[in-house]
Amino acid sequence: MGIRGSRQSSFANLQARRAKSAFEIDWRKVKKDLVLAFFSHFFYKVIGFLVLMMLTRYLAKDEMGQFFFAASLATFFALITELGTNTYLIREVAGKPEKALSRFSEVISLRLPLFAFYLLILNGFIFIFKPFHQTLLLEFVNFIKHINRRFV
């Protein structure tokens, strides 16, 4: 029973260690994920800085004002169209990955009407403040029709 008993006890110890390690954190994976997230955010910020640097070099003051107005308007309406669905989608998919497609379709079915509403409001702004830019809307609609014909 000496050798056999020691094998059984070492096997039991191994199983106990595996069960214990299942709840421990894999620090290598955490470190790799954090480094990847850091560099992706850093790259995003550097590209944004470079784009702004180029825009300030080549655009006049009034054109920069128009750019920032358009960017802030787009950001505001992007917040309205998202309505916290990013957080909802991440939570639900993390909790139940098998329901990811269902949750994604829920989010898309909420965002598409909100995006259509955003386009209506944006066109209202264009109609009221810049009526001569209405051709941009028609070009956008024609572009969407062209893409739809191409992929359908």
Side-chain angles (χ1 to χ4, degrees):
M1 179 154 165
I3 295 175
R4 186 175 239 184
S6 66
R7 282 187 189 167
Q8 288 177 349
S9 65
S10 65
F11 182 69
N13 287 338
L14 182 63
Q15 284 181 332
R17 274 188 272 148
R18 283 185 184 164
K20 191 177 187 181
S21 67
F23 295 107
E24 291 180 6
I25 297 173
D26 183 9
W27 289 108
R28 281 183 275 160
K29 183 176 178 348
V30 170
K31 188 164 73 169
K32 184 178 99 173
D33 290 345
L34 285 175
V35 167
L36 184 65
F38 169 77
F39 280 114
S40 68
H41 285 286
F42 181 76
F43 181 72
Y44 174 74
K45 299 290 182 183
V46 167
I47 293 297
F49 177 73
L50 292 174
V51 166
L52 282 177
M53 189 172 67
M54 298 299 286
L55 285 174
T56 55
R57 234 174 224 274
Y58 293 107
L59 294 179
K61 287 182 181 181
D62 59 332
E63 291 171 331
M64 278 299 290
Q66 291 173 355
F67 171 76
F68 280 115
F69 176 72
S72 63
L73 190 67
T75 303
F76 174 73
F77 282 110
L79 287 173
I80 290 175
T81 59
E82 287 177 2
L83 285 177
T85 54
N86 288 339
T87 306
Y88 169 76
L89 188 62
I90 290 169
R91 267 192 206 151
E92 291 297 317
V93 170
K96 299 174 188 166
E98 65 276 358
K99 301 241 181 194
L101 192 57
S102 171
R103 299 298 180 234
F104 184 71
S105 68
E106 288 175 1
V107 167
I108 292 296
S109 66
L110 176 66
R111 281 189 184 184
L112 285 178
L114 289 173
F115 184 71
F117 179 68
Y118 158 71
L119 284 178
L120 287 174
I121 290 178
L122 183 64
N123 290 318
F125 275 116
I126 290 172
F127 183 73
I128 292 170
F129 296 110
K130 303 275 186 178
F132 54 89
H133 282 82
Q134 288 179 3
T135 57
L136 291 175
L137 172 63
L138 294 175
E139 289 177 16
F140 177 73
V141 169
N142 287 332
F143 174 72
I144 296 297
K145 285 180 182 177
H146 173 72
I147 288 186
N148 192 23
R149 276 188 233 130
R150 191 171 204 178
F151 290 108
V152 173

